[in-house]
Amino acid sequence: MSEIRNEVITQLLDKFKLLHLYPGKRDYFTYIMVIVCSILRCVQWIFAAKLIATNTGSVVTMTIGAKSIAVNFQATKIMALLHENDLVYLLNNMDKFWHSDEAETVYKYCKLFLRIFTQSVFFTYIAILLVPIFILKILPFNGDYPVFPYSFWIFSFMQLFQFTYDVCIVLCVDCFFLCVSFFVYMQFKILNERFAKLGFDHEILYSEAKICVKYHKFLLRYTEKFSHMYSQALLAQYCITSISVCIEIFVFTKQEFSQMPASILYVLSLILQLSLYCFPADLVSEEALNVSEAIINSNWYNYPKFSKIYVQNILQRSHKRVKFSAGGLVVLDKVAFTMIFKWSLSLYTLMRDIEKIVE
């Protein structure tokens, strides 16, 4: 394993250790935190649902309650990390990745991005959670909360505790997906370059073709495990972004100026999050499809018969598209990313129509 890739993986694993989610080393603290935060999340859902139920005549208030429910679904992405067998497989088989100078450059960018993304999440956390509580003196996530002495600070602490844990989970899940996606993308690219350099020496050609077939099988299995691990998390991210962007656009036109920066930052963070899934997933899919093109350009039909068998084997498998499915409902790619805006604007138009009818 290259030193830079090793550093990137170490940074990722340090985040897992922080949450006690390191595969094979999870303890009672892990499950206690998951259970406690799930209970706090359910409490907030109940109060948000109560806010919606008691304000059916106000579309704005109902929308704010729906926003609180949607935001608290972010932590459902922990489902990706609970696929422990898939996670262990992905980590243990990174040693099999091939090396290239271009891959080293990509690993450097991954390392840089991890630092930048972590810092941006930290500033978003301050804007969304700490500024409303300690400066504006309002709860970040609204609900029909009971009023009693110190109720504001009690519910603020509850949201602060639960959302801090959720942010750490989201950070782990997002960073891991991005880095592994680029790792896999580079491996398909190296494989394609290796096909393009195949010569016509019979002995070398036979051994090279055999190695490439075996490695192609490994990459397809690795990507399948990776996609399976993130299936539910991708669906959660896609649904949350669709609903939340629509809600934020609608609420943005109704709220006070002091709350607008937090809304804008939250929408941008959601769009950035979704782009971190859609574009890397699309890169992996496209590069995997390029395997067949690389083989065809290598004049494989002039190879000896025993080498053609291996090449034809890869050609048959490479026509099957490598895809990242969001719960089997949506395929994450560039098209899915652009569709999110269409869905959000459609929902926004629907909400405006409902508001006019209610008024």
Side-chain angles (χ1 to χ4, degrees):
M1 182 184 292
S2 70
E3 291 184 5
I4 299 175
R5 189 170 76 231
N6 192 26
E7 291 176 10
V8 173
I9 294 171
T10 300
Q11 288 185 32
L12 293 172
L13 294 182
D14 285 343
K15 292 179 173 61
F16 291 149
K17 291 175 183 176
L18 178 67
L19 297 174
H20 290 246
L21 288 171
Y22 192 86
K25 295 184 179 180
R26 296 171 184 177
D27 51 23
Y28 288 112
F29 177 83
T30 306
Y31 299 104
I32 289 172
M33 285 296 293
V34 170
I35 292 170
V36 169
C37 288
S38 297
I39 293 172
L40 293 177
R41 206 170 294 118
C42 289
V43 170
Q44 294 194 62
W45 285 337
I46 290 170
F47 286 127
K50 186 180 176 184
L51 179 68
I52 295 172
T54 55
N55 291 274
T56 53
S58 173
V59 177
V60 175
T61 306
M62 291 172 63
T63 303
I64 292 172
K67 173 188 172 182
S68 298
I69 294 174
V71 168
N72 282 286
F73 266 104
Q74 278 278 3
T76 55
K77 292 201 289 186
I78 196 175
M79 291 184 291
L81 302 182
L82 296 181
H83 288 273
E84 192 167 357
N85 292 334
D86 291 338
L87 181 57
V88 170
Y89 177 87
L90 296 178
L91 292 172
N92 290 343
N93 284 277
M94 285 184 182
D95 289 333
K96 297 180 182 179
F97 285 169
W98 288 348
H99 174 75
S100 76
D101 293 336
E102 188 178 357
E104 287 295 299
T105 304
V106 171
Y107 301 152
K108 287 180 181 178
Y109 283 121
C110 284
K111 183 181 176 182
L112 175 64
F113 178 81
L114 282 179
R115 184 164 62 249
I116 295 173
F117 184 64
T118 302
Q119 292 172 353
S120 65
V121 169
F122 174 72
F123 287 118
T124 304
Y125 170 80
I126 292 175
I128 293 176
L129 204 69
L130 299 185
V131 170
I133 292 175
F134 295 104
I135 297 178
L136 302 178
K137 302 297 182 182
I138 59 173
L139 290 172
F141 310 116
N142 294 283
D144 190 5
Y145 294 100
V147 179
F148 52 85
Y150 303 106
S151 61
F152 172 77
W153 293 110
I154 291 173
F155 290 119
S156 293
F157 175 78
M158 181 182 75
Q159 293 187 2
L160 189 66
F161 178 83
Q162 174 248 316
F163 196 70
T164 301
Y165 185 74
D166 290 355
V167 166
C168 293
I169 289 173
V170 170
L171 186 63
C172 285
V173 175
D174 291 353
C175 289
F176 188 78
F177 183 88
L178 180 79
C179 291
V180 176
S181 294
F182 278 112
F183 291 170
V184 175
Y185 162 74
M186 284 309 306
Q187 294 311 303
F188 275 114
K189 191 167 186 178
I190 294 170
L191 179 64
N192 292 338
E193 291 172 354
R194 196 154 177 172
F195 271 122
K197 294 177 182 178
L198 287 177
F200 290 94
D201 186 291
H202 287 195
E203 291 185 6
I204 297 175
L205 180 60
Y206 179 76
S207 61
E208 278 290 301
K210 191 174 181 180
I211 290 170
C212 288
V213 169
K214 186 177 179 181
Y215 195 67
H216 187 243
K217 285 182 178 178
F218 160 70
L219 285 181
L220 290 179
R221 178 168 174 77
Y222 193 93
T223 308
E224 183 182 354
K225 290 275 188 182
F226 185 36
S227 177
H228 176 262
M229 173 181 166
Y230 269 87
S231 180
Q232 295 92 346
L234 293 175
L235 180 61
Q237 182 64 56
Y238 198 79
C239 293
I240 291 166
T241 305
S242 301
I243 297 170
S244 297
V245 169
C246 164
I247 290 173
E248 285 297 330
I249 293 173
F250 183 78
V251 174
F252 183 82
T253 60
K254 309 291 182 180
Q255 64 187 358
E256 297 178 3
F257 180 78
S258 60
Q259 296 175 311
M260 288 183 180
S263 294
I264 294 172
L265 190 58
Y266 179 60
V267 170
L268 291 176
S269 66
L270 285 173
I271 294 172
L272 173 63
Q273 268 187 304
L274 187 64
S275 68
L276 295 182
Y277 287 99
C278 291
F279 289 105
D282 189 73
L283 278 175
V284 173
S285 298
E286 290 297 324
E287 198 61 39
L289 283 175
N290 289 339
V291 171
S292 58
E293 184 179 343
I295 294 172
I296 292 171
N297 291 336
S298 66
N299 298 321
W300 66 275
Y301 39 82
N302 293 324
Y303 294 165
K305 185 176 181 180
F306 52 81
S307 297
K308 281 184 181 179
I309 295 173
Y310 287 113
V311 174
Q312 288 172 343
N313 195 346
I314 295 182
L315 276 172
Q316 290 175 353
R317 287 198 304 271
S318 62
H319 287 301
K320 183 180 179 181
R321 182 177 175 82
V322 172
K323 58 185 180 181
F324 290 84
S325 173
L329 300 176
V330 182
V331 176
L332 268 289
D333 54 17
K334 289 183 288 189
V335 176
F337 181 77
T338 56
M339 284 296 292
I340 203 78
F341 299 102
K342 180 180 178 181
W343 283 109
S344 297
L345 290 174
S346 298
L347 287 172
Y348 171 74
T349 303
L350 177 63
M351 291 170 64
R352 290 297 300 269
D353 292 339
I354 293 172
E355 184 185 30
K356 290 177 182 177
I357 294 171
V358 171
E359 291 177 350

